Amino acid sequence: MTRQSTTLFLSTPDETAALARWIAPGLRPGDVLLLQGDIGAGKTHFARALIQSLLSEPEDVPSPTFTLVQTYETPGSEIWHADLYRLTSPDEVVELGLTDAFEDAICLVEWPDRLAELAPQSALRLDFSLGDTEGQRKLTLSWQTGRWTPLVQEISQ
């Protein structure tokens, strides 16, 4: 399947969080979201809102910048939130166990360029960038498997 994409404009951080909470219930084990964008573009904010919406009990959701990976147990699946910014080689991704998690957990991966050839072809890519006004984000979603088409079509309406 060829790569498809759509672009959204989110006016506020609250809209970014609302989108994450809307997407969350549709995720299932084996789904991978690749969160791309510069520092401060909204990747962690999106991930934090998504994770918190799936937890049965509220808990702190820190950025995994220093731990590299944070895991969470939810009623439907384990969630892996990874920040690969500090990695220098795809071999380090394997050592973290992330490639195994791609198969049976919901994975949110910041700085997915560090995955190189290990990035799952079935992943949904979310590319965050700053918009034209303060607080606005431009979000481009791209995918190449039919898994994501219905979800993205709903979001775009």
Side-chain angles (χ1 to χ4, degrees):
M1 182 174 209
T2 60
R3 182 161 291 282
Q4 300 178 58
S5 68
T6 192
T7 300
L8 306 171
F9 290 91
L10 305 164
S11 299
T12 64
D14 287 343
E15 283 188 15
T16 301
L19 177 64
R21 289 189 300 270
W22 188 86
I23 290 173
L27 298 177
R28 59 184 186 233
D31 284 343
V32 178
L33 303 183
L34 303 176
L35 309 175
Q36 304 176 141
D38 292 334
I39 293 172
K43 301 178 302 292
T44 301
H45 183 71
F46 176 91
R48 186 173 285 134
L50 188 148
I51 293 164
Q52 287 174 331
S53 74
L54 292 174
L55 294 172
S56 54
E57 295 291 324
E59 69 177 85
D60 185 40
V61 177
S63 170
T65 300
F66 296 104
T67 59
L68 300 179
V69 174
Q70 296 286 136
T71 60
Y72 304 89
E73 289 296 329
T74 71
S77 176
E78 185 174 47
I79 299 174
W80 283 51
H81 181 197
D83 184 326
L84 307 181
Y85 182 75
R86 297 185 306 126
L87 298 188
T88 57
S89 163
D91 294 339
E92 294 171 292
V93 173
V94 175
E95 290 173 22
L96 289 173
L98 190 55
T99 53
D100 292 332
F102 289 159
E103 296 178 25
D104 55 14
I106 294 170
C107 296
L108 310 174
V109 181
E110 297 185 43
W111 301 99
D113 59 308
R114 305 307 199 269
L115 292 169
E117 71 280 351
L118 299 176
Q121 294 297 308
S122 61
L124 175 64
R125 291 184 178 272
L126 294 90
D127 191 356
F128 292 84
S129 59
L130 300 177
D132 296 332
T133 61
E134 187 174 336
Q136 184 186 56
R137 297 295 183 265
K138 177 181 172 186
L139 174 60
T140 301
L141 298 100
S142 60
W143 67 100
Q144 59 187 44
T145 64
R147 158 77 180 108
W148 301 110
T149 303
L151 178 74
V152 175
Q153 286 175 339
E154 282 188 49
I155 292 169
S156 300
Q157 294 177 3

